[in-house]
Amino acid sequence: MASLNPLTSNLDQRKAKHLLRRATFNFSKNQLNSFIGLTPESAVNSLFTPTTNTLAEPYDPLPADAPDGFWTSATALPNSFDNQPRKRAIVTGWWWYNAMNETSLKHKLSFFLHTCFTVAKDDGAGAATYYYDYLRLLDFYAFGSIKTLAKKMTLDNAMLEYLDNTRNNKNNPNENYAREFLELFTILEGEQIGAGNYTNYTEIDIQQAAKVLSGYKKQEDRSIIDAETGLPTGYINEELHDTDNKTFSAAFGGATITGRETPTDILDELSDFVDMVFSQEETAKAYCRKLYRYFVKSNWDEEVETDIITPLAQELISNDYNIEPIVKTLLCSQHFYDADDTDSSDEIIGSIIKNPMQHLSEMCAMFNVTYPDPNTDALNFYNTFFYRFIHNAYFSYAGMGFFSPEEVAGYPAYYQEPLYDRNWFSSNTIIGRYRLVESFIAGENTISNGDTYALLDTVKFVEDNIVNASDPVLLVTEIADLLYPEAIDEDRTNYFKSFLVEEGFPDYYWTGTWNNYLSSNDNVTVKIRLDALITAMVNAAEFQLM
C-alpha cells in the first residue's frame, strides 16, 4: 500500500542519492557523504534551512568600455537598457549560479513554482529587470504559501505584461490572465462536461474573474514596493476596475464577490477571489499532483491517488497552502523511497529523466567543473560561459528554453501526457546532452563551436574522489555508484572497464598505468583513457535518470 508514513531507517547511499538528486541541483560526493546515515527527517529539515544568495544581483559586463553593471538596481527605466535578450539570459545565469552554490530545496521549489506560474522570459515578459523581480518573487515564496504567491503574482510586473492583464480594463476586458489563472495556474479544467463548461469552472467564471482582475497595471519604473516581500510590484488603477459584484457559477457554489472601488479594497476583492479558488479541494489536488510529478514520478495509479495525493491535498488545505510541510511529508515518506511495497515494476528511484538543467548542474557539481567566478571574472562567466555556451548552445540543443518554455502551460515534461519527462530525451535533444560532457572535457564548445571557459579534469576527479582508482573494476564501480541511481551489473561494469583496459588484456595493465602516473605525474595516458570512460559513463542511459 502506498504510504505517507515516515521512513524511520537512516539513509544509505542509494536513498541519499535519491533525495539529493530530487531535492537539489548541487549534488556532489561530499554532500552525498554528509547525508548518508542521517534520518530522512534530519536530511530534509537541513534542506529547508534558510539561505542567502551567493550573488546578490546579476551583473552585465558589457559594453566593455562602459558596462551596464548592476543594471537591475539602477534608477533608469528597465527598458532603457540595450540588449534585453542577453540581459534576460544573464538574469537566469545569476539564478543558476546561486542554485549551484546552495544545497537547499529553495531553488528546486522556486523552479517548481515557475512551472506552476509560468512566465516565459523571452516571450512577452518585458525587460530583464522585471524578470529578475519575478525570479526573486518565486524564491521568496519557495518555502511559503502558494495561495499568497497567487495573489502576489497577479501584481508582478512580468506577469502583468506576459499575460496582458496590464491591458485588462472594465470597458475593454482582456481574459488572458484570468483564463490561465484557472486553467493552468490553480484549479485546472477537469473534465469537459459541455460547451464552455468544465468540471472545475466555466466560461462564465473566466469572464467574472477577468472583471475581478481588471484595472491592474504594470509599474514601469518599479517605484512601488510591496511591504511583505520588499519587491517591486504593479498597481491598481481604480478608474479602470470593474466595481460591480461578480457572481460565479455552480462550480464555485454560485459565490458572489462584492465589487470594490478603492485600491486597498480592490486588493481585498482579489483576496476573496483567490480564497474562493483555493477553497476548492481540486485546487489542492492539482498542486499535489504537480508536486508528485515533479519530485516522485510522472505516472501513478488509483492507489497513489487515494493514499498519497488526496491526504497531501488535505494537508495542504489545512496548512493554508504552505508548501513546506507538504514537501517534508512527501520527501520523508516511505513511498518517496519506494519502501512501501515490494513491487519491482513501479520503481520510483531512477524513474525520472533529468531535465537539461539537472543534467548540467549534476555534472558541474559532481565533477567539480571549473568555470569563471562571476565575482572576479564577470565577462567570461556571464557572457562567454553562460550566455554563449550554456544558454545559447547547450540549453538550445538540449530542448530547454531556460526559463522560457514555448507554451504558457510550461514545459511539456510537467503536463503533457503520456510522455511527460520522456519529452526531455529525443533524437532532437540528444546532441546537447551528449556533447556537453565532451565540451567540458575538451574545454571548447563542441555543440555549436566556440569557447566554453569551463573544464572537466577527469584525472583530478578520479584522484580526488575514487578510493580504489588503481583497480579498473572498483574504479568503474565507484564512479557508477556516484553517477547512477542504481548499481550496475557485471556486464555493464565490463563494458565500461573496456575504456581502461583493452579486451584480452589483464586488469593490471590499468593498475600499472595508474601507478606510473602517480609516481611520474605524467597524465597523458591516463587522461586519454579516463576522458573516454567518463564520456561513456555520462552519456550512458543510466546517467540520464534520477
Side-chain angles (χ1 to χ4, degrees):
M1 177 180 292
S3 175
L4 284 172
N5 291 333
L7 181 72
T8 56
S9 59
N10 292 350
L11 298 175
D12 56 15
Q13 185 186 55
R14 177 174 179 263
K15 292 184 176 66
K17 285 190 296 185
H18 177 58
L19 173 61
L20 278 169
R21 282 196 175 97
R22 298 293 177 92
T24 77
F25 294 114
N26 185 7
F27 173 54
S28 66
K29 183 181 180 182
N30 287 340
Q31 193 60 53
L32 174 61
N33 288 340
S34 72
F35 269 44
I36 295 173
L38 296 180
T39 64
E41 182 180 16
S42 295
V44 171
N45 283 341
S46 74
L47 293 173
F48 275 100
T49 302
T51 59
T52 301
N53 285 339
T54 304
L55 287 178
E57 58 184 310
Y59 183 90
D60 188 351
L62 296 176
D65 57 343
D68 286 335
F70 297 110
W71 87 97
T72 58
S73 57
T75 56
L77 286 174
N79 59 7
S80 68
F81 292 95
D82 293 332
N83 296 310
Q84 288 294 334
R86 179 171 54 79
K87 281 182 167 60
R88 287 192 292 269
I90 286 173
V91 166
T92 61
W94 160 83
W95 187 93
W96 179 79
Y97 184 85
N98 285 323
M100 285 299 297
N101 281 274
E102 299 175 20
T103 305
S104 165
L105 263 157
K106 183 179 81 172
H107 284 87
K108 202 79 171 192
L109 282 169
S110 178
F111 191 77
F112 167 74
L113 293 174
H114 165 65
T115 71
C116 296
F117 297 92
T118 300
V119 175
K121 75 178 194 302
D122 299 315
D123 189 21
T129 306
Y130 303 135
Y131 207 80
Y132 169 65
D133 295 337
Y134 163 77
L135 291 182
R136 290 193 295 161
L137 182 63
L138 298 181
D139 285 355
F140 188 90
Y141 284 102
F143 296 163
S145 168
I146 302 175
K147 183 168 76 171
T148 304
L149 173 61
K151 298 174 186 178
K152 301 295 184 182
M153 189 61 70
T154 300
L155 277 159
D156 176 75
N157 285 311
M159 180 64 84
L160 281 164
E161 184 70 27
Y162 178 59
L163 288 179
D164 305 314
N165 207 52
T166 193
R167 287 170 277 281
N168 177 21
N169 304 320
K170 64 179 181 181
N171 296 320
N172 187 23
N174 186 303
E175 298 177 356
N176 284 2
Y177 180 65
R179 182 176 301 278
E180 308 306 3
F181 189 91
L182 295 175
E183 179 181 338
L184 300 175
F185 296 168
T186 58
I187 195 169
L188 310 187
E189 292 177 338
E191 293 184 11
Q192 186 167 4
I193 56 178
N197 187 0
Y198 296 91
T199 310
N200 297 339
Y201 65 85
T202 70
E203 283 294 314
I204 291 174
D205 296 318
I206 292 173
Q207 294 164 11
Q208 298 302 300
K211 293 179 181 180
V212 171
L213 300 167
S214 61
Y216 287 74
K217 301 299 171 187
K218 183 175 76 171
Q219 181 67 26
E220 294 194 3
D221 65 2
R222 302 167 70 234
S223 59
I224 302 175
I225 304 300
D226 180 76
E228 294 177 20
T229 65
L231 297 174
T233 184
Y235 70 99
I236 296 170
N237 184 333
E238 64 270 30
E239 298 298 324
L240 298 176
H241 178 71
D242 190 319
T243 58
D244 292 341
N245 293 345
K246 292 87 178 175
T247 300
F248 290 80
S249 74
F252 294 102
T256 295
I257 293 178
T258 303
R260 272 78 153 196
E261 297 182 353
T262 69
T264 299
D265 291 341
I266 292 169
L267 281 177
D268 290 338
E269 188 177 334
L270 171 65
S271 291
D272 288 349
F273 168 67
V274 171
D275 289 346
M276 178 191 75
V277 174
F278 278 73
S279 68
Q280 309 298 310
E281 185 179 15
E282 279 305 311
T283 301
K285 285 186 175 181
Y287 284 119
C288 289
R289 291 178 188 122
K290 288 180 178 182
L291 280 167
Y292 190 90
R293 184 167 291 120
Y294 188 77
F295 282 110
V296 185
K297 200 172 183 180
S298 290
N299 295 284
W300 57 89
D301 56 18
E302 283 301 316
E303 179 182 318
V304 169
E305 183 72 21
T306 300
D307 297 338
I308 304 295
I309 303 297
T310 298
L312 280 179
Q314 293 165 352
E315 184 178 357
L316 188 60
I317 293 172
S318 66
N319 281 280
D320 202 26
Y321 284 85
N322 190 318
I323 198 171
E324 181 175 338
I326 283 72
V327 173
K328 282 184 176 180
T329 295
L330 183 60
L331 299 189
C332 290
S333 69
Q334 295 175 13
H335 182 71
F336 177 71
Y337 298 96
D338 214 2
D340 54 0
D341 64 45
T342 58
D343 184 355
S344 61
S345 66
D346 68 344
E347 296 300 328
I348 288 170
I349 296 177
S351 64
I352 293 179
I353 293 179
K354 298 170 187 172
N355 70 38
M357 177 169 57
Q358 185 75 30
H359 183 79
L360 162 73
S361 302
E362 275 193 33
M363 202 180 304
C364 287
M366 180 57 71
F367 292 108
N368 194 26
V369 172
T370 58
Y371 48 82
D373 184 338
N375 294 290
T376 58
D377 192 3
L379 178 64
N380 284 320
F381 173 78
Y382 284 114
N383 198 57
T384 309
F385 168 70
F386 192 83
Y387 177 57
R388 292 183 180 176
F389 175 56
I390 298 300
H391 185 275
N392 289 357
Y394 167 66
F395 278 131
S396 177
Y397 280 79
M400 185 182 202
F402 193 45
F403 279 106
S404 196
E406 295 181 359
E407 304 290 341
V408 183
Y411 302 98
Y414 301 113
Y415 73 88
Q416 192 173 86
E417 58 181 345
L419 295 179
Y420 293 112
D421 55 291
R422 269 57 184 169
N423 280 292
W424 291 126
F425 199 83
S426 70
S427 59
N428 294 325
T429 63
I430 208 169
I431 291 178
R433 283 181 179 261
Y434 282 7
R435 290 188 179 172
L436 179 62
V437 66
E438 296 173 7
S439 296
F440 281 150
I441 288 174
E444 62 183 42
N445 179 359
T446 66
I447 300 173
S448 61
N449 298 320
D451 296 323
T452 65
Y453 272 77
L455 187 66
L456 192 171
D457 187 336
T458 60
V459 179
K460 181 172 176 52
F461 164 74
V462 169
E463 192 168 3
D464 291 348
N465 293 280
I466 306 304
V467 176
N468 299 291
S470 63
D471 184 319
V473 173
L474 295 178
L475 168 61
V476 167
T477 301
E478 287 186 44
I479 294 176
D481 285 344
L482 293 174
L483 300 187
Y484 303 153
E486 303 285 15
I488 58 174
D489 61 23
E490 184 178 0
D491 287 343
R492 291 297 278 166
T493 300
N494 287 333
Y495 167 72
F496 290 126
K497 189 183 75 169
S498 68
F499 291 93
L500 302 174
V501 182
E502 293 182 18
E503 186 176 355
F505 286 82
D507 289 356
Y508 63 72
Y509 271 68
W510 167 255
T511 304
T513 302
W514 180 255
N515 288 337
N516 180 65
Y517 156 68
L518 293 178
S519 62
S520 68
N521 206 34
D522 180 356
N523 70 357
V524 174
T525 303
V526 295
K527 176 174 169 50
I528 292 172
R529 296 184 185 181
L530 288 175
D531 285 353
L533 172 66
I534 296 300
T535 299
M537 295 189 77
V538 166
N539 287 341
E542 292 93 336
F543 189 71
Q544 313 308 315
L545 302 173
M546 68 175 185

